[in-house]
Amino acid sequence: MSAPFLPFAQPEIGEEEIAEVVDTLRSGWVTTGPKVKRFEQDFAAFLGDPALQAVAVNSATAGLHLALEALGVGPGDEVITTTHTFTATAEVVRYLGADVKLVDIAPATLNIDPAAVAAAITPRTKAIMPVHYAGLAADMPALLDIARRHGLKVVEDAAHALPTTCGGALVGTLGSDATVFSFYANKTITTGEGGMLVTRDAALAQRARTMRLHGMNRDAFDRYTAKVPSWYYEVVAPGFKYNLTDIAAALGIHQLKKAHAFQQRRAEIAAQYDAALAGLPLILPPRAAHGDQHAWHLYVLRLADDAGIERDRFIERLFDAGIGCSVHYIPLHLHPYWRDRYALQPATFPHSQHAYERMLSLPIYTRMGDADVARVVAAVRGVLGAQ
Ligand SMILES: *Cc1c(COP(=O)(O)O)cnc(C)c1O
């Protein structure tokens, strides 16, 4: 193999980000301050809805935890989410002492199945947490309708979904109680670690702002710039340490400006894969509904039953060809904690289980050139014996 290994994911950090971080370091203000405030304002403006408030946090996990906490989720409550997600989506429910009710996906979209959600509702159900898997919007009209009819809260895990649209509207503006984005290293924009909670609910935003910094009723920046004595604050709850730093926000301000261009490049790569892999024994990723936008955080293939090779071996062979791949996700019902805590069986989640056994994620990121895409295509065709 002469070509260097093609990693599964890589961030794209430009000179603008680097200069902004350096400016932050020289400014003397490295934790939550003016750049976090600017990033929050820019983020709300990006979503384009003046009623939205954005609350920056140090991870999407933190944002999901804060959203559920602010909605009063606690012991005795149940929260419904998809088994086909990263454990962060569900673990935050357990932080609060509530129970997770995992449900299956719709096989066509790999997103949470609204019919399965409706069937899982009990008198204890408090909230639904859809995940916009891979960057394709979940069926939000159906889910919001179920929530309205049963008086349930909705918190969207939008870790993959910047920028994704649903019915022409950006995820974040769809009318749920809160939406949480991730800026982890491999997400569509990155701050290294970071996240953003957005909501139209002013009380929820206020609670999240308080709880992201120790339950203090004003954050450090306000404390040192407002007129009341700089040393004064009140602790109103046992809060968390979830604030984003200005160093991270400096990255986010410039990453956000590139979010649409990044999406376009990802969509181009997805289209190249779609064209080059059509006709092979593969199930290609579902497309967004007509007129809608897919964020293409992930490009997830499924091996058809006549592919003649098992998924694990397929990934090994791509690895041997110098191509990094991954699997999204090992469903939660297979992980020891979730399996044992709720006595879960794969047969309860046939679509997630079936997809998991056949799926892999190909590299898709903005730093890939067309030659990299062609290399991945050639490797996939080679492994399938279809040169
Ligand atoms: C990455 C991810 C998260 C967690 O994001 P962090 O910012 O790393 O906390 C949550 N849910 C899903 C579906 C993710 O992919």
Side-chain angles (χ1 to χ4, degrees):
M1 225 27 257
S2 52
F5 190 81
L6 184 76
F8 171 68
Q10 266 192 314
E12 178 166 336
I13 308 286
E15 291 307 318
E16 304 85 346
E17 285 88 328
I18 292 168
E20 196 75 44
V21 167
V22 169
D23 177 72
T24 307
L25 298 178
R26 293 194 202 285
S27 77
W29 199 285
V30 291
T31 187
T32 310
K35 300 223 171 156
V36 165
K37 198 154 262 178
R38 190 169 132 207
F39 185 33
E40 290 177 339
Q41 286 164 355
D42 290 356
F43 201 89
F46 179 93
L47 294 177
D49 179 340
L52 277 177
Q53 292 198 44
V55 181
V57 284
N58 59 10
S59 72
T61 309
L64 293 167
H65 184 196
L66 291 177
L68 294 183
E69 197 275 340
L71 291 169
V73 170
D77 294 332
E78 288 173 352
V79 176
I80 299 172
T81 192
T82 167
T83 190
H84 214 94
T85 187
F86 184 57
T87 194
T89 316
E91 74 190 24
V92 296
V93 175
R94 300 294 298 140
Y95 293 178
L96 294 161
D99 282 308
V100 177
K101 204 65 173 284
L102 295 177
V103 300
D104 206 359
I105 51 174
T109 63
L110 307 176
N111 267 320
I112 192 168
D113 177 6
V117 171
I121 293 171
T122 75
R124 291 173 56 198
T125 307
K126 177 97 177 184
I128 307 170
M129 294 175 83
V131 177
H132 304 293
Y133 176 81
L136 177 68
D139 185 351
M140 289 305 293
L143 294 166
L144 289 169
D145 184 56
I146 291 167
R148 204 174 306 115
R149 282 191 280 113
H150 294 268
L152 306 177
K153 305 294 186 185
V154 178
V155 174
E156 295 166 72
D157 180 339
H160 301 180
L162 187 78
T164 290
T165 67
C166 180
L170 281 169
V171 166
T173 68
L174 302 179
S176 64
D177 294 278
T179 304
V180 180
F181 297 89
S182 174
F183 312 131
Y184 179 67
N186 67 6
K187 297 291 164 51
T188 54
I189 72 167
T190 187
T191 61
E193 301 280 356
M196 193 72 77
L197 181 165
V198 304
T199 181
R200 290 194 188 105
D201 178 339
L204 194 158
Q206 183 53 49
R207 176 72 178 177
R209 286 186 197 285
T210 298
M211 293 305 280
R212 79 175 161 182
L213 196 68
H214 303 296
M216 289 158 63
N217 66 349
R218 41 201 303 206
D219 69 24
F221 182 64
D222 288 342
R223 246 191 306 139
Y224 289 103
T225 56
K227 289 198 181 61
V228 268
S230 62
W231 50 267
Y232 189 77
Y233 61 87
E234 291 176 340
V235 172
V236 297
F240 309 103
K241 187 67 202 291
Y242 282 168
N243 55 306
L244 190 73
T245 67
D246 265 26
I247 300 170
L251 290 166
I253 287 163
H254 293 280
Q255 289 274 295
L256 184 65
K257 289 183 185 163
K258 304 174 184 178
H260 287 302
F262 282 175
Q263 188 278 338
Q264 276 175 25
R265 177 60 190 151
R266 286 174 176 271
E268 247 170 50
I269 294 170
Q272 287 173 19
Y273 279 151
D274 280 355
L277 300 176
L280 296 173
L282 297 168
I283 299 169
L284 300 180
R287 326 303 325 267
H290 183 70
D292 268 328
Q293 182 166 291
H294 192 311
W296 291 112
H297 167 55
L298 300 173
Y299 188 91
V300 177
L301 285 178
R302 283 173 279 176
L303 294 173
D305 289 335
D306 61 353
I309 183 167
E310 307 240 297
R311 188 271 315 277
D312 293 6
R313 182 83 191 106
F314 192 87
I315 292 179
E316 273 172 33
R317 296 277 311 275
L318 287 179
F319 221 80
D320 292 344
I323 310 294
C325 298
S326 192
V327 174
H328 297 90
Y329 292 90
I330 305 166
L332 296 185
H333 66 259
L334 294 180
H335 287 288
Y337 172 74
W338 298 109
R339 181 193 65 204
D340 298 347
R341 179 69 184 73
Y342 295 112
L344 303 174
Q345 310 276 350
T348 310
F349 310 95
H351 300 306
S352 169
Q353 185 68 30
H354 186 271
Y356 163 64
E357 288 169 4
R358 291 158 180 79
M359 68 169 31
L360 71 150
S361 305
L362 295 183
I364 181 164
Y365 48 95
T366 57
R367 283 176 68 186
M368 287 176 76
D370 291 349
D372 295 318
V373 178
R375 233 184 104 194
V376 175
V377 165
V380 168
R381 296 185 73 87
V383 174
L384 289 171
Q387 295 94 319

